[in-house]
Amino acid sequence: MIRLAFLLLTLLATPAGAQEQSALEASAPTKLAVTVYRDPNRGEGDGMDRDWPRGFAMISETRTVTLPAGRSTLRFTGVAEGMVAVSAIVTGLPGGTIEKNRNAALLSPAALVDGTLGNRVTITRTNPVTGRAASESAVVRTRADGGLVLQTQSGFEAVRCSGLPEKLSFDRVPAGLSPEPVFTLDTQSERGGTHTVVLTYLAWGFDWDASYVGHLREGAGRDGKVTLDLLSWLTVVNDNGQSFADAELMTVAGKLNVESDFESLADPPEGEPLRLVCYPLGGTSEGSPYEDLLPPPPPPPPAMAVSAVSEEVIVTGSRMAPKAPALMANEEGLGDLKLYRVPEPVTVAAKAQKQIAFLDKEGVTGRFVYVHDCDPAGGMADAFEPARILFATENSERRGLGAALPGGLLTLYEPSSQGTQLVAETRLRDFAKGEEIELALAQSGEVFARCGLAPGEALDEDARRWSTLAAEVSNAGDAPVTVRFRLGWASDWVVGGLRGAGVKDGRRIVDMTVPANATRRFSWRVRHTANGLTRSRN
């Protein structure tokens, strides 16, 4: 009995706050780093969806916390709403992490009403005739998932169902609600003190893509040579409702093996709207039945001149002689991936996109190749078809490049007597240093071709005898061109009796040079391989 009495006295003497673990607020981030990864499920050559980005980011926040001795709950306010809480790691805590939680309820009209259920609020009504406002105290008697009912001195009434202007005022914010997403954890500290901690986590709702703008120089395509100037941009999209000010921004190019569904793991916090239902009139969105009693709306403001805002990114004052942007991302290695780091802090704004230059190359050299597909098993076509134009070069320093090129959209311009004109748009896949580059641009308006088995020729069914293939090319341009005939898979066909035959991307190809303003006819021999014969019979 003595021991029990002593224990009760001890508990009564202990302050109530010491019996419960305290909730502490970490400081706002003093340092931020955002590394954005592309959508891992995006196909090669596909662009990102700017309205629904499905990539992710690794976010690192440096904050300061002051811990008491013992166990406490630490709150990180303002994390990304797309936070994948299971990925969160906090370093710098003396006692480590005991338990992690993600608060999923945001401050919203519905949450405010639900948290005030049974408590007093102030309702203010405006008389539409006199314009005077009158306020009185009321008690919230229903939740926000239906009609909102208040109890006043006059009885029970539904809010905003009378057709009169009404507003509610709340004296406090219910516990547990925050205007920003919150991540909490429990930790233990023997002595307490102030510590610098780093919160690192993955977040859903980001993506990035590369954009290339090429300007062909005068005389491009003459003598088979092409020279262009290339400027490239990184476009980063943040679909979260949180901004990351003065952050170290990085993007990672390459294909990651991601097994987790970050969208389902993110479980973003919800901010439910307040849905008011009036009986028997229906929802207040249908308007008031007493609109005739309300004063007329004020007249519209005087018309103002609206100036058009260009969405074009201006690099310099002169578009004909672009210069390198002042801020450019630097390329770094990250294992087999490539990382592009912005050298200065930037703001990754909420629900917005940001563009940073990362490549500026002048004098990139290459050539135009005109491509025509030829069916070795078919006869000569009756009509000519326009050849497709490829821009061919090599990702090397001698060609003016020599840098990793992440996939993205290339927009190509060419000077003319009427000013700079758009000539093509095409998408790049990822290209490594030293790799050959061939980009499909458009159909030619000057080079036409046709190809097929020569008259009287037929393929040998036993794949023993050679057959003659004929081609005809017309070049109406004022410069010689290279025409490439693609004959089918290299495993199916063998080409003989012709120089310039080879294999490109698994297909047999034959390159021919056609002079300016000329028509040329070519012929060569083809036959099935054993594998090709099997395919044709099947």
Side-chain angles (χ1 to χ4, degrees), residues 104-359:
L106 285 181
L107 178 62
S108 66
L112 194 58
V113 169
D114 289 343
T116 319
L117 183 63
N119 294 305
R120 292 189 175 275
V121 296
T122 301
I123 183 169
T124 303
R125 300 180 181 88
T126 301
N127 190 313
V129 178
T130 63
R132 295 179 179 177
S135 300
E136 67 173 314
S137 179
V139 178
V140 179
R141 291 304 184 191
T142 60
R143 294 177 55 86
D145 51 2
L148 176 56
V149 176
L150 300 181
Q151 183 181 5
T152 64
Q153 291 181 349
S154 302
F156 294 88
E157 57 182 282
V159 177
R160 293 187 182 177
C161 290
S162 65
L164 302 179
E166 298 175 334
K167 70 175 182 179
L168 292 179
S169 300
F170 298 80
D171 295 334
R172 61 180 180 83
V173 175
L177 295 182
S178 171
E180 298 179 277
V182 177
F183 174 75
T184 63
L185 63 84
D186 292 347
T187 187
Q188 184 81 22
S189 177
E190 294 183 0
R191 300 180 180 179
T194 300
H195 305 273
T196 299
V197 299
V198 178
L199 168 64
T200 303
Y201 58 92
L202 299 178
W204 163 265
F206 293 83
D207 208 349
W208 74 273
D209 203 3
S211 302
Y212 300 85
V213 179
H215 289 267
L216 294 171
R217 292 187 178 179
E218 293 281 354
R222 295 176 184 174
D223 301 326
K225 297 180 181 179
V226 177
T227 303
L228 59 86
D229 300 324
L230 190 65
L231 182 62
S232 309
W233 299 87
L234 298 175
T235 302
V236 179
V237 173
N238 173 19
D239 193 46
N240 286 257
Q242 292 71 42
S243 296
F244 302 90
D246 297 327
E248 181 182 9
L249 177 60
M250 294 162 282
T251 62
V252 176
K255 186 70 173 180
L256 287 178
N257 182 27
V258 177
E259 299 293 339
S260 300
D261 183 358
F262 291 143
E263 180 181 7
S264 62
L265 291 175
D267 190 21
E270 299 178 354
E272 290 293 332
L274 182 60
R275 299 178 177 89
L276 300 180
V277 179
C278 300
Y279 300 99
L281 299 177
T284 54
S285 61
E286 299 175 0
S288 169
Y290 306 105
E291 290 181 354
D292 294 339
L293 299 177
L294 300 178
M304 300 180 61
V306 180
S307 60
V309 179
S310 172
E311 295 182 355
E312 181 179 2
V313 178
I314 304 299
V315 179
T316 65
S318 172
R319 295 177 184 154
M320 299 305 295
K323 298 179 182 179
L327 184 64
M328 293 187 64
N330 301 317
E331 177 189 331
E332 301 177 14
L334 183 64
D336 289 340
L337 307 175
K338 290 297 179 182
L339 182 143
Y340 297 90
R341 184 190 303 271
V342 179
E344 299 178 10
V346 297
T347 295
V348 184
K351 302 292 183 180
Q353 65 182 30
K354 177 174 289 293
Q355 284 190 311
I356 302 293
F358 74 97
L359 188 70

Side-chain angles (χ1 to χ4, degrees), residues 369-384:
V369 177
Y370 297 82
V371 178
H372 180 76
D373 287 330
C374 183
D375 182 8
M380 176 74 76
D382 295 332
F384 284 86

